[in-house]
Amino acid sequence: MGIARSALVVLAVGAVVTLVVVGVRALIGSSGSQPERPPAAAGSTVVRASEGRAPTVRIECVAEVCPTVTVRVPGGDVLHHREMSRGEEVSYFEPELDVVLGDAGTVRVTENGSPRAPGEQGAREAFTARGPGG
């Protein structure tokens, strides 16, 4: 019975040490990283400078908090529906998109590479963005 008990104690100590090592490595690996963002919806594409084409719509939050921004494919999937924070941006390349801005004065919007006229502070704005040829 003494050997079995000793083996169990050794296994328990080994498990605790393993958990501590994994925890420390996870903390070290996450330090200095950006906060996690929700994954993009299926069918959405984040703009990459190397792609060489402008997104159908690009929305950048320029206020501390931008009230709910909604981007959806007409009659289809909702690609984005949440608040945004300063500096956060989303870009989509779908042929047509319905966009609703909870406060049009808190975001900077670009359609097909061209800046959209800024909205009024506190005003809700809704529009449809069409890609080139759309």
Side-chain angles (χ1 to χ4, degrees):
M1 200 66 147
I3 293 176
R5 184 173 285 163
S6 296
L8 218 54
V9 168
V10 168
L11 283 174
V13 168
V16 169
V17 168
T18 301
L19 288 174
V20 168
V21 168
V22 168
V24 168
R25 291 187 76 193
L27 285 173
I28 290 171
S30 69
S31 66
S33 66
Q34 301 250 342
E36 229 178 273
R37 290 187 180 175
S44 66
T45 310
V46 177
V47 66
R48 307 263 188 261
S50 62
E51 288 182 1
R53 68 180 183 131
T56 304
V57 70
R58 177 182 169 272
I59 302 167
E60 178 187 3
C61 178
V62 294
E64 202 58 40
V65 174
C66 298
T68 304
V69 172
T70 303
V71 180
R72 64 184 288 272
V73 176
D77 293 335
V78 174
L79 305 176
H80 184 90
H81 179 75
R82 64 180 178 79
E83 289 183 345
M84 295 172 67
S85 55
R86 182 182 299 279
E88 184 177 355
E89 59 184 71
V90 293
S91 299
Y92 299 99
F93 290 87
E94 282 72 11
E96 186 175 19
L97 295 164
D98 288 334
V99 179
V100 179
L101 308 171
D103 182 346
T106 61
V107 295
R108 185 177 305 137
V109 179
T110 306
E111 283 185 72
N112 301 306
S114 299
R116 185 176 173 85
E120 282 188 43
Q121 197 71 32
R124 180 181 181 275
E125 186 176 327
F127 61 92
T128 299
R130 291 177 179 80

